[in-house]
């Protein structure tokens, strides 16, 4: 595949006539057609014109100049409003991970709001992950600050509880001021029955969905004008802020996913065929598994395995591992351990479906393929194994697969520095051109394995930090720590509690509670 012809600056400027004065997202491409930058704009024409003005380049910093010099083509996507442009920008940056973007490249998602209507006294909570848990979800919402203020106002307006306990009681009411200042309908002491409370929750849900929006804004505006006429400017300012937050939160937005009007250069079917050809495989590798090792310190080493099916992430079959048998930072030995654990597990899981495997003369890989064809394999053996690294990591993978009888399972190593592909029995790496779909597919699965491993390491690190703080408190027993975390949810909430609240836990006196708070602070 040849390089994409680079457009001259004058050609790019002439194409700006196609760009409308509307909000949207733009994608800058290099000479290979790769997306190198994704940006958003309130006015696409004005924003994109800046890139092709001579004065912009002379005033720009080194990074921006390098970006401008690399632009060979562009695409744009029109949306309905600024909120949609922010959502789409984040989606595309996560998909393409462009070289010149920094924001949105982590795995952080936009906020959603959830409410579990089956709870005794439902309440709103924010989350970044939608689960199949029977809860009602709203969003995503691009403006987290405006969303939190909006939720706070809706809770007050509808009298919903905001306390932590699932079933609040009289002991919780004693430490709560929400009822006193009329922010809560106080279901904890029976001031409202469940049927009436659920009607309030439904009303709040309709508000969050934007139903009755015009009437709500008209009422708020009228109340603000009355407050201003009565010279109550503080109340008028608060109502103005409420409306601004509601406007940001309730602006209609679409959820963007691939295939719904989103420009994409990812072609899984074509990329798979190209990869099978580049590696001289018997066919496209429909199922691929990629491994990555992540070290934070010599004491905490983890690994990830991500699976792609038909060229797309198969998230349900991702796996993560804590390295058990390796002391110190040894990527080669760590890779050997995780390959051994993964494929010995597959053989063990599938052995129940093939009881004669031990006495059969059939090749192990072929036997696993047969089980998959017959629909009897509990876990399907991949068509290609990829390890993040060069000859050392590949050598360890080949050795462990051989020990398990999987000599004929295709395996490669992908070294990041020059994107070299190492294959067993060949001293020189394969260099796949950067514009080929084969390499782009390998980069996608390798980057996904890297993200998944780093995310697991970060999760364990945060968990260790939280646990260690309580573990180091003098006189802290495992039982007390468990009860503290069950009641307050986190170390941060324990820090914010009063000694009296902590002393409600059986086995902790008020004096001990004061000592715990003193130590934590």
């Amino acid at each position: 595949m040849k390089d994409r012809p680079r457009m001259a600056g004058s050609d790019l400027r002439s194409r700006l006539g196609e760009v409308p004065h509307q909000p949207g997202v733009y994608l800058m491409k290099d000479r290979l057609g790769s997306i190198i930058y994704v940006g958003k704009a309130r006015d696409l024409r004005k924003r994109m014109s800046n890139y092709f003005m001579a004065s912009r380049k002379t005033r720009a910093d080194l990074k921006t100049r390098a970006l401008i010099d690399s632009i060979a083509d562009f695409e744009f996507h029109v949306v309905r409003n600024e909120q949609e442009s922010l959502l789409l920008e984040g989606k595309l940056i996560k998909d393409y991970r462009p070289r010149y973007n920094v924001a949105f490249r982590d795995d952080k998602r936009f906020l959603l709001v959830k409410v579990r209507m089956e709870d005794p006294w439902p309440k709103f909570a924010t989350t970044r992950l939608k689960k199949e848990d029977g809860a009602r979800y709203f969003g995503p919402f691009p403006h987290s600050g405006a969303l939190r203020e909006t939720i706070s106002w809706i809770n007050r307006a509808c009298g919903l509880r905001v306390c932590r306990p699932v079933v609040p009681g009289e002991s919780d009411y004693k430490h709560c001021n929400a009822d006193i200042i009329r922010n809560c309908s106080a279901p904890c002491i029976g001031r409202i029955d469940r049927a009436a409370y659920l009607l309030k929750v439904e009303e709040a849900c309709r508000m969050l969905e934007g139903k009755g929006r015009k009437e709500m804004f008209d009422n708020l505006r009228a109340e603000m004008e009355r407050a201003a006429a009565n010279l109550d400017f503080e109340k008028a300012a608060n109502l103005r802020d409420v409306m601004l937050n509601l406007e940001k939160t309730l602006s209609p937005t679409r959820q963007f996913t691939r295939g719904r009007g989103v420009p994409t250069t990812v072609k899984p079917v074509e990329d798979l065929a190209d990869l099978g050809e580049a590696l001289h495989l018997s066919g496209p590798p429909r199922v691929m598994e990629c491994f990555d090792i992540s070290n934070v310190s010599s004491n905490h080493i983890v690994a990830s395995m991500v699976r792609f099916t038909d060229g797309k992430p198969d998230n349900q079959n991702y796996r993560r591992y804590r390295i058990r048998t390796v002391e110190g930072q040894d990527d080669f030995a760590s890779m050997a351990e995780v390959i051994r654990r993964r494929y010995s597990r597959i053989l063990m899981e599938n052995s129940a479906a093939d009881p004669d495997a031990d006495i059969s003369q059939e090749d192990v890989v072929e036997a696993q393929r047969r089980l998959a064809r017959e629909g009897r394999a509990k876990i399907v053996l991949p068509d290609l194994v990829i390890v993040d690294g060069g000859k050392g990591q590949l050598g360890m993978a080949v050795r462990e697969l051989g020990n398990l009888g999987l000599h004929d399972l295709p395996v490669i190593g992908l070294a990041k520095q020059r994107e070299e592909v190492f294959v067993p029995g060949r001293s020189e790496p394969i260099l796949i051109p950067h514009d080929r779909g084969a390499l782009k597919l390998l980069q996608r699965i390798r980057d996904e394995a890297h993200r998944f491993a780093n995310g697991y390491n970060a999760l364990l690190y945060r968990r260790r930090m939280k646990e260690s703080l309580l573990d180091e408190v003098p006189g802290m027993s495992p039982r007390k720590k468990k009860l503290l975390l069950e009641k307050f949810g986190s170390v941060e909430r324990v820090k914010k509690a009063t000694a009296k609240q902590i002393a409600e836990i059986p086995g902790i006196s008020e004096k001990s509670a004061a000592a715990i708070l003193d130590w934590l602070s």
Side-chain angles (χ1 to χ4, degrees):
M1 188 181 290
K2 295 182 180 178
D3 289 356
R4 178 181 300 245
R6 180 184 176 87
M7 284 189 170
S10 57
D11 294 331
L12 288 170
R13 282 193 292 274
S14 67
R15 281 192 55 205
L16 289 172
E18 308 167 11
V19 182
H21 290 287
Q22 290 179 262
V25 172
Y26 56 92
L27 302 91
M28 298 302 189
K29 299 181 177 183
D30 64 12
R31 62 187 178 83
L32 302 176
S34 299
I35 293 169
I36 56 174
Y37 185 75
V38 175
K40 67 179 185 305
R42 182 183 301 175
D43 185 316
L44 280 168
R45 174 87 68 88
K46 286 183 180 179
R47 182 72 184 89
M48 294 179 68
S49 298
N50 289 338
Y51 287 94
F52 308 108
M53 295 171 60
S55 58
R56 168 73 189 277
K57 186 174 177 181
T58 56
R59 294 197 307 267
D61 57 30
L62 286 174
K63 180 183 173 184
T64 307
R65 269 184 259 168
L67 166 64
I68 293 171
D69 286 338
S70 302
I71 297 172
D73 198 3
F74 63 76
E75 291 180 13
F76 61 89
H77 189 71
V78 175
V79 296
R80 294 182 295 190
N81 51 44
E82 288 183 74
Q83 284 77 14
E84 280 195 0
S85 68
L86 184 59
L87 289 171
L88 180 55
E89 179 195 34
K91 175 74 174 71
L92 293 175
I93 291 173
K94 285 184 175 67
D95 283 348
Y96 297 116
R97 299 181 182 269
R99 187 189 323 157
Y100 290 99
N101 283 100
V102 177
F104 292 117
R105 287 184 66 164
D106 59 16
D107 197 39
K108 199 170 183 180
R109 304 164 187 247
F110 289 108
L111 282 176
L112 301 163
V113 175
K114 67 181 284 188
V115 59
R116 294 176 57 85
M117 299 301 289
E118 66 271 22
D119 284 350
W121 305 107
K123 65 171 187 170
F124 286 128
T126 55
T127 180
R128 295 189 186 274
L129 189 63
K130 188 173 184 178
K131 299 179 181 177
E132 297 297 327
D133 57 359
R136 286 176 66 177
Y137 286 86
F138 306 88
F141 298 97
H143 298 286
S144 58
L147 172 65
R148 289 190 170 98
E149 291 296 327
T150 295
I151 292 295
S152 179
W153 177 78
I154 289 176
N155 283 332
R156 293 195 303 273
C158 296
L160 302 187
R161 73 183 188 92
V162 295
C163 52
R164 182 173 175 78
V166 176
V167 186
E170 286 195 28
S171 62
D172 302 292
Y173 176 76
K174 291 176 184 177
H175 307 290
C176 179
N177 293 322
D179 173 52
I180 297 171
I181 57 177
R182 300 185 180 180
N183 284 347
C184 179
S185 51
C188 53
I189 56 169
R191 194 160 287 171
I192 186 173
D193 62 28
R194 189 170 188 274
Y197 184 82
L198 289 180
L199 289 175
K200 288 180 173 290
V201 177
E202 288 291 351
E203 180 189 357
C205 290
R206 287 194 294 273
M207 293 167 75
L208 198 54
E209 289 171 333
K211 293 176 180 176
R213 175 177 167 164
K214 183 178 183 303
E215 183 182 355
M216 179 167 53
F217 274 88
D218 287 346
N219 291 339
L220 284 168
R221 194 172 291 108
E223 189 178 354
M224 181 183 68
E225 289 169 356
R226 283 196 300 272
N230 293 330
L231 305 183
D232 191 348
F233 299 117
E234 183 178 354
K235 182 178 180 181
N238 287 336
L239 290 167
R240 177 205 61 202
D241 293 342
V242 166
M243 287 192 290
L244 289 173
N245 289 322
L246 281 168
E247 183 67 40
K248 284 184 177 180
T249 302
L250 302 183
S251 292
T253 56
R254 291 169 286 174
Q255 292 191 45
F256 292 98
T257 56
R258 284 189 185 273
R260 285 187 58 189
V262 179
T264 177
T265 57
V266 177
K267 300 173 181 176
V269 176
E270 291 88 338
D271 293 350
L272 276 175
D274 193 34
L275 181 59
E277 182 182 325
L279 299 179
H280 307 291
L281 302 176
S282 58
R286 289 190 59 246
V287 178
M288 301 188 295
E289 292 185 347
C290 182
F291 296 83
D292 181 53
I293 306 296
S294 176
N295 298 301
V296 169
S297 70
S298 59
N299 296 323
H300 303 109
I301 305 170
V302 302
S304 69
M305 186 284 293
V306 301
R307 173 179 276 224
F308 273 30
T309 301
D310 293 327
K312 294 178 284 189
D314 184 1
N315 305 72
Q316 297 299 315
N317 285 301
Y318 284 15
R319 296 293 181 269
R320 52 196 190 185
Y321 304 85
R322 293 196 203 195
I323 300 302
R324 301 170 181 164
T325 62
V326 179
E327 296 205 2
Q329 294 188 353
D330 186 337
D331 281 2
F332 297 164
S334 298
M335 185 64 75
E337 178 186 324
V338 73
I339 291 288
R340 180 169 62 251
R341 287 169 60 184
R342 171 61 178 170
Y343 294 106
S344 61
R345 176 65 179 269
I346 289 181
L347 296 179
M348 182 185 72
E349 292 278 352
N350 291 341
S351 62
D354 196 12
D356 298 327
D358 291 341
I359 58 174
S360 172
Q361 299 299 310
E362 188 177 19
D363 176 78
V364 178
V365 173
E366 183 50 44
Q368 294 296 312
R369 301 275 186 249
R370 174 176 54 77
L371 290 174
R373 287 194 300 271
E374 295 170 356
R376 294 195 290 146
K378 191 167 183 180
I379 307 174
V380 174
L381 199 68
D383 301 309
L384 177 65
V385 176
I386 304 154
V387 296
D388 180 30
K391 289 182 180 179
Q393 286 87 348
L394 177 63
M396 288 295 185
V398 170
R399 187 191 73 186
E400 295 300 328
L401 291 172
N403 291 340
L404 295 169
L406 299 171
H407 307 83
D408 296 329
L409 185 62
V411 56
I412 63 170
L414 181 61
K416 191 166 188 177
Q417 189 170 7
R418 294 177 56 209
E419 305 292 28
E420 298 168 318
V421 178
F422 290 92
V423 297
R426 176 171 170 163
S427 59
E428 294 300 315
I430 298 173
L431 295 175
I432 303 175
H434 283 248
D435 60 337
R436 282 185 63 174
L439 183 60
K440 291 178 180 178
L441 176 57
L442 288 177
Q443 289 170 328
R444 288 199 297 276
I445 192 170
R446 187 267 318 281
D447 291 348
E448 180 68 352
H450 188 64
R451 178 197 67 79
F452 196 53
N454 285 347
Y456 185 39
N457 224 332
L459 172 68
L460 293 178
Y461 179 75
R462 290 194 300 270
R463 193 178 294 166
R464 285 192 298 271
M465 289 299 293
K466 289 178 182 177
E467 290 173 352
S468 63
L469 281 173
L470 285 179
D471 288 336
E472 293 170 18
V473 174
M476 181 62 64
S477 67
R479 180 176 174 277
K480 286 180 183 177
K481 184 177 81 170
K482 181 173 180 288
L483 290 172
L484 278 166
L485 290 175
E486 280 180 352
K487 181 173 178 63
F488 297 101
S490 70
V491 177
E492 286 304 311
R493 287 198 175 97
V494 174
K495 288 180 180 180
K496 293 174 182 176
T498 65
K500 196 169 183 180
Q501 289 172 317
I502 293 174
E504 292 174 2
I505 295 174
I508 300 181
S509 66
E510 195 158 339
K511 183 179 178 181
S512 297
I516 290 170
L517 289 174
D518 183 60
W519 194 93
L520 289 174
S521 63

